[in-house]
Amino acid sequence: PAARDRPHAALRFAHAETVIPLTAIMQLFADGEPLRAAWSPARIAARRWRNSIVAPLATNIALLRYECAGPDGAEHPFVELQHNELVYPIPGCGGRRLCPLDRVLR
């Protein structure tokens, strides 16, 4: 088969000390406001950023690239974000599952 038809992967492996800052920079589990000392335990428990979710043992982040045909019939690259094998919308991409590659790079 042609080179573009063969599966291809570029894999990078890192420790939690790399994955956690990347997750924070991407604002993947960003809460609406900073944590406050005066919050109740229930309010703290409702936060999206929880270490047990963000970086459990063997945590991983995958950016998958897809070539999808557009309305013009041409192939266009899109990116999907997965965190621990669950799909998340890419922040800054309007809540969509697939985001155009050029928008991700911006």
Side-chain angles (χ1 to χ4, degrees):
R4 73 183 296 267
D5 295 332
R6 290 188 302 233
H8 176 79
L11 306 173
R12 305 288 184 261
F13 296 91
H15 293 279
E17 291 77 11
T18 303
V19 175
I20 291 173
L22 176 62
T23 304
I25 288 169
M26 293 174 65
Q27 299 180 358
L28 187 55
F29 293 98
D31 287 298
E33 60 182 303
L35 180 63
R36 309 254 184 231
W39 281 5
S40 69
R43 188 166 181 193
I44 292 171
R47 290 179 55 84
R48 294 186 68 214
W49 185 279
R50 301 185 56 79
N51 287 350
S52 61
I53 295 171
V54 174
L57 184 63
T59 191
N60 60 78
I61 295 175
L63 294 168
L64 306 171
R65 178 182 166 156
Y66 296 98
E67 293 288 331
C68 303
D72 58 359
E75 295 284 321
H76 299 279
F78 286 84
V79 176
E80 176 183 76
L81 170 66
Q82 292 185 6
H83 180 272
N84 296 328
E85 291 85 39
L86 297 175
V87 176
Y88 288 88
I90 296 175
C93 206
R96 293 181 293 184
R97 183 184 76 97
L98 294 175
C99 188
L101 177 62
D102 61 342
R103 187 166 181 175
V104 172
L105 295 174
R106 273 187 268 131

